[in-house]
């Protein structure tokens, strides 16, 4: 049975906030009076996120656990969730509870009543964010708007509801290193907005430090605009004009008997031209790197485990079931790994880390490869 609503949640080391998320999300979805599934995408977490998800999956049948073989990044994890989701409408939301799940019913109602394909969650109050983050976000979105034909709301992140047509359109794109907060507006499907107040992170640490934000910005800029290439061209023309003017100035000065002062000006000119050249080479390198990655056709993520196919036993021809009960001798734990959060209710020891329902989310015993228990269409995705 195809659910009406799918909620996709990318997760990476979210063991602290996961119990709080389930406590708020489950009663909300149960009270909506609609069929639903929650697709939790474990992006190669190194803490007890996988064990907690397995526990909640046993108690909460609508929770579907999709685990990636290795950490692929936030946007790749969302893409994996979109490929796996089955619902007529799909909501993407982060696990940190900064974006309140309580507005999901309002987003679904807006999509149905207004007949739109996308409903963006827009942050009307971002006082919990730092001044630097708010200012840099505003400046970046304005820059993207000026340098490309893609418009995205500066206060809309990855919290959105999409129709099945929108999700299918996104899944059909061959693009690597996709930034969904710009790809979805670029589709130009009918859309609406729902405003909300952005909260503090409920628990845990942010998974988007400054370096990852810079990488996301570069992917966004080079993925949606050729303006940097044109900037390199304009800089080259500007350098050529400046060089011609300098030659004319030198010839006039020589004809009038003037001498060119010292080496300082020479060094400054050479340094300036060299800087322009390096910037242009760097910009070209960004685009060549994207072309190289696209030509390789290497998937951005690999799905290692999907609780839906494991529960139903519908494995593909190349799938092998996960091991029933790995021996304790092959399970290595540390004191930190066996201390689960008390609120999670997961027993300590090897049985607490084993995948419940007779499965294990971790590596198989004796070094055997982990099974690819997933739909055939979601084994490898770009």
């Amino acid at each position: 049975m195809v659910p009406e609503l799918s909620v996709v949640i990318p997760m990476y080391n979210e063991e602290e906030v996961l119990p709080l998320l389930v406590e708020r999300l489950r009663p909300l979805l149960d009270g909506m009076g609609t069929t639903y599934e929650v697709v939790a995408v474990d992006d190669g977490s190194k803490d007890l996120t996988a064990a907690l998800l397995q526990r909640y999956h046993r108690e909460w049948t609508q929770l579907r656990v999709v685990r990636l073989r290795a950490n692929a990044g936030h946007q790749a994890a969302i893409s994996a969730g979109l490929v796996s989701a089955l619902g007529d409408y799909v909501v993407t939301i982060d696990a940190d509870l900064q974006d309140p799940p309580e507005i999901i019913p309002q987003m679904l109602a807006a999509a149905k009543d207004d007949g739109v394909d996308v409903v963006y969650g827009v942050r009307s109050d971002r006082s919990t964010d730092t001044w630097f983050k708010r200012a840099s976000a505003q400046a970046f979105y304005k820059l993207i708007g000026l340098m490309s034909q893609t418009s995205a709301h500066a206060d809309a992140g990855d919290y959105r509801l999409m129709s099945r047509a929108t999700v299918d359109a996104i899944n059909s794109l061959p693009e690597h290193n996709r930034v969904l907060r710009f790809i979805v507006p670029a589709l130009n499907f009918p859309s609406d907005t729902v405003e909300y107040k952005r909260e503090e992170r409920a628990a845990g640490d942010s998974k988007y430090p400054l370096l990852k934000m810079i990488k996301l910005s570069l992917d966004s800029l080079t993925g949606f605009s050729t303006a940097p290439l044109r900037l390199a061209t304009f800089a080259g023309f500007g350098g050529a004009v400046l060089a011609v003017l300098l030659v004319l100035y030198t010839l006039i000065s020589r004809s009038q008997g003037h001498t060119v002062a010292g080496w300082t000006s020479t060094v400054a000119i050479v340094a300036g031209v060299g800087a322009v050249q390096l910037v242009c080479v760097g910009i070209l390198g960004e685009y060549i790197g994207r072309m190289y990655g696209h030509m390789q056709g290497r998937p951005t993520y690999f799905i290692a485990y999907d609780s839906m196919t494991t529960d139903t036993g519908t494995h593909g021809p190349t799938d092998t079931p996960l091991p029933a009960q790995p021996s304790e001798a092959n399970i290595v734990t540390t004191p930190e790994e066996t201390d689960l959060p008390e609120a999670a209710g997961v027993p300590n020891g090897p049985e607490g880390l084993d995948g419940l329902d007779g499965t294990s989310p971790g590596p198989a015993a004796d070094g055997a490869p982990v099974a690819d228990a997933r739909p055939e269409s979601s084994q490898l995705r770009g």
Side-chain angles (χ1 to χ4, degrees), residues 323-348:
Q325 289 294 340
S327 62
E328 295 186 7
N330 292 306
I331 300 178
V332 180
T333 59
T334 63
E336 292 79 4
E337 290 174 329
T338 56
D339 290 336
L340 282 170
E342 187 173 336
V346 179
N348 291 338

Side-chain angles (χ1 to χ4, degrees), residues 19-298:
L20 303 175
L21 174 66
V22 173
E23 182 181 351
R24 286 177 59 177
L25 185 62
R26 183 176 184 181
L28 172 71
L29 296 177
D30 287 341
M32 287 181 60
T34 184
T35 56
Y36 72 89
E37 67 171 351
V38 176
V39 183
V41 182
D42 177 20
D43 188 19
S45 297
K46 299 178 181 179
D47 61 359
L48 296 175
T49 298
L52 290 175
L53 286 174
Q54 287 295 88
R55 172 194 180 267
Y56 289 123
H57 167 65
R58 183 183 65 175
E59 301 174 352
W60 187 8
T61 57
Q62 290 89 349
L63 176 62
R64 181 177 166 193
V65 181
V66 175
R67 193 178 191 198
L68 306 186
R69 290 193 181 274
N71 179 255
H74 181 255
Q75 297 297 305
I78 296 179
S79 296
L82 294 181
V83 169
S84 303
L86 302 175
D88 296 327
Y89 293 94
V90 180
V91 173
T92 57
I93 183 174
D94 290 339
D96 55 17
L97 293 176
Q98 286 188 284
D99 304 325
E102 285 77 13
I103 69 168
I104 291 179
Q106 186 178 351
M107 299 171 80
L108 182 60
K112 291 181 177 180
D113 296 342
D114 300 337
V116 296
D117 288 297
V118 185
V119 179
Y120 299 99
V122 177
R123 305 155 186 168
S124 59
D125 185 348
R126 300 187 61 172
S127 57
T128 56
D129 292 335
T130 63
W131 173 87
F132 174 77
K133 188 171 184 178
R134 295 195 302 268
S136 59
Q138 290 285 345
F140 175 71
Y141 277 86
K142 288 182 179 179
L143 179 63
I144 287 290
L146 290 174
M147 300 182 68
S148 69
Q149 297 180 350
T150 301
S151 60
H153 202 292
D155 294 316
D158 289 308
Y159 190 16
R160 68 182 73 86
L161 179 143
M162 296 171 287
S163 67
R164 171 49 52 184
T166 307
V167 174
D168 289 343
I170 294 173
N171 291 338
S172 68
L173 298 176
E175 183 178 355
H176 293 262
N177 300 320
R178 58 179 61 170
V179 182
L180 293 170
R181 64 185 62 184
F182 293 107
I183 284 181
V184 177
L187 296 175
N188 203 27
F189 287 2
S191 64
D192 200 351
T193 61
V194 172
E195 295 185 349
Y196 66 93
K197 179 181 179 182
R198 187 169 172 82
E199 304 291 344
E200 295 273 1
R201 173 178 255 275
D205 300 321
S206 172
K207 306 305 184 296
Y208 258 115
L210 181 60
L211 290 179
K212 285 191 176 181
M213 291 298 296
I214 293 175
K215 182 181 182 302
L216 181 67
S217 301
L218 287 175
D219 287 339
S220 303
L221 190 60
T222 56
F224 289 92
S225 175
T226 58
L229 284 176
R230 293 171 181 169
L231 178 63
T233 303
F234 293 152
F237 279 123
V241 172
L242 180 61
V244 171
L245 293 177
L246 287 174
V247 170
L248 292 176
Y249 171 76
T250 303
L251 294 176
I252 293 174
S253 298
R254 183 177 181 180
S255 65
Q256 294 178 351
H258 299 295
T259 58
V260 178
W263 56 269
T264 304
S265 59
T266 303
V267 172
I269 294 171
V270 172
V273 173
V276 172
Q277 290 176 335
L278 289 176
V279 170
C280 295
V281 169
I283 294 173
L284 292 174
E286 288 289 332
Y287 283 90
I288 293 173
R290 293 178 67 88
M291 293 170 60
Y292 175 70
H294 182 71
M295 287 188 296
Q296 282 182 317
R298 185 178 302 162

